Amino acid sequence: MNTNLKHWKEAATLILVAGHRLTAASGSPLGSSYGRSHLQHRTHFDYDVLLLKRSGKSGFMPNAYVFPGGMVNSSDFSSEWLDIFKAFRNSPDFGLRGVTQPVDTRPPVYATDRLKLGSPISGEVAFRICALRETFEESGVLLVVSKQEEKRLLKSIEDRGATEEVLHCKVNDLCSSELTRWRALVNQNPANFIRMCRELEVLPNIWALHEWSNWLTPKRKFTTRFDTAFFICCLQEIPETLQDEKEIEHFQWSTPSEVIQSYRARELWIAPPQYYELSRLCRIPLLKDLHNFSSQRATEGCEQWLPLAVLKDDGYISLLPGDSHYRLDASGEAMVNPDTDCPLEEPQDDSALHRFVSSDLYSLSLQVTITPKYNQLVPVEDKTFLHNSKSQL
């Protein structure tokens, strides 16, 4: 972990999606125990996304629905992982697929030389470990590879087919009591995640996580700011999910369109990054298409985004990289002057737009006319599309 950062704490988050599980093992429909949204209307989505409601006592975004994730811990960069992944040590980044993005344009969470910071574990690996550990802590979902699967995975990596081999990876096969015991230990001390992997002879399934995006917390209103790596992972079906009874008050599995509709109905609140990423997912309503797209796109890399908020009398506009008015000074702060720039509320026809517009917490909308970098998706903002989505691939 990079302790030299002045403004941001490094973190990782996981967009965890899973195919609909229509019935429980007994054949009866799933109820609230699996956290399914109460909305009954049908959509064309064949998958749900996991959202966790933060505690109202949380010091950062209380009561917000977020993807599982949290701050990186020094144990995520521990040299002990070299022993856990010893069968993969001859492969760069333990066999993760390489990224074609030039190093000088890579976000610092990935580009930073961790050896100079005293760790032999790269950011590519450590932030995936962090995302998996935090997901286990907060939701009880443990994504690991067993010793029995290790040889097959090694061979697939040698054949450069690792991503295809872990399509819709399985969750752990631990009994409930064993899972609960280890989860409590990892919550007590993140370093116990290493101990758990060693004793259970499993590997964190870093290969099932695909690089998706990188968001920085804006300066406005927040004293704690995060540099967060976003990953995405596709599962065949919704796994058993638990609350941690500490930071998380509630969890739910819902389609991306259901979440956005609930947000617009003021039934739940999601932060701008979650709103943006869920709007992207609305572009691909089929799980297989989403997995194929995310696994192939991940090799392109991603762009670091720092939203720049411009306060207005009736709300605010938050600019993103690529917008005509997006400017950063040498210190990485905003250079937008709403008094001298042309009115942000009335963009010119030829303006490059990449922004949130909001009058209150529940009125976010997106204006996007740019072409995303690194083959990313344009978020969907057409309300009719949310009801009648069909695969765009």
Side-chain angles (χ1 to χ4, degrees), residues 44 90 103 152 170 226 262 277 295 331 334 381 387 393:
H44 287 83
N90 292 329
V103 175
R152 177 188 58 80
K170 298 179 181 179
F226 296 96
S262 294
E277 300 301 0
S295 61
S331 66
E381 199 40 27
H387 293 279
L393 295 185

Side-chain angles (χ1 to χ4, degrees), residues 161-300:
T163 300
E164 287 70 27
E165 289 295 319
V166 296
L167 171 62
H168 303 161
C169 66
K170 298 179 181 179
V171 295
N172 72 91
D173 295 322
L174 293 180
C175 65
S176 179
S177 59
E178 186 78 349
L179 196 68
T180 299
R181 183 176 78 85
W182 278 113
R183 188 180 177 211
L185 289 171
V186 175
N187 267 299
Q188 291 171 11
N189 183 354
N192 282 328
F193 195 55
I194 302 174
R195 174 186 163 196
M196 180 196 72
C197 290
R198 181 180 290 111
E199 292 190 18
L200 298 179
E201 297 187 321
V202 296
L203 302 172
N205 198 341
I206 59 174
W207 306 276
L209 272 60
H210 305 300
E211 183 178 320
W212 187 255
S213 59
N214 177 209
W215 290 81
L216 295 178
T217 308
K219 184 176 182 180
R220 187 180 70 87
K221 294 199 308 181
F222 298 107
T223 55
T224 302
R225 303 166 72 182
F226 296 96
D227 183 352
T228 305
F230 279 63
F231 299 97
I232 190 168
C233 175
C234 298
L235 300 176
Q236 286 182 318
E237 62 178 26
I238 295 174
E240 183 176 0
T241 314
L242 307 169
Q243 294 168 201
D244 70 354
E245 306 297 341
K246 182 181 176 183
E247 297 180 12
I248 305 303
E249 292 184 349
H250 173 70
F251 73 86
Q252 72 176 50
W253 289 92
S254 304
T255 69
S257 63
E258 285 176 340
V259 178
I260 291 178
Q261 289 174 56
S262 294
Y263 164 78
R264 288 174 173 160
R266 297 176 178 260
E267 296 171 352
L268 56 80
W269 182 70
I270 49 178
Q274 279 73 20
Y275 182 92
Y276 194 104
E277 300 301 0
L278 288 165
S279 298
R280 273 176 167 165
L281 296 186
C282 285
R283 185 69 62 180
I284 307 180
L286 300 181
L287 181 64
K288 184 177 180 180
D289 289 342
L290 180 60
H291 171 79
N292 290 338
F293 172 81
S294 60
S295 61
Q296 294 168 17
R297 194 225 63 81
T299 62
E300 303 275 344

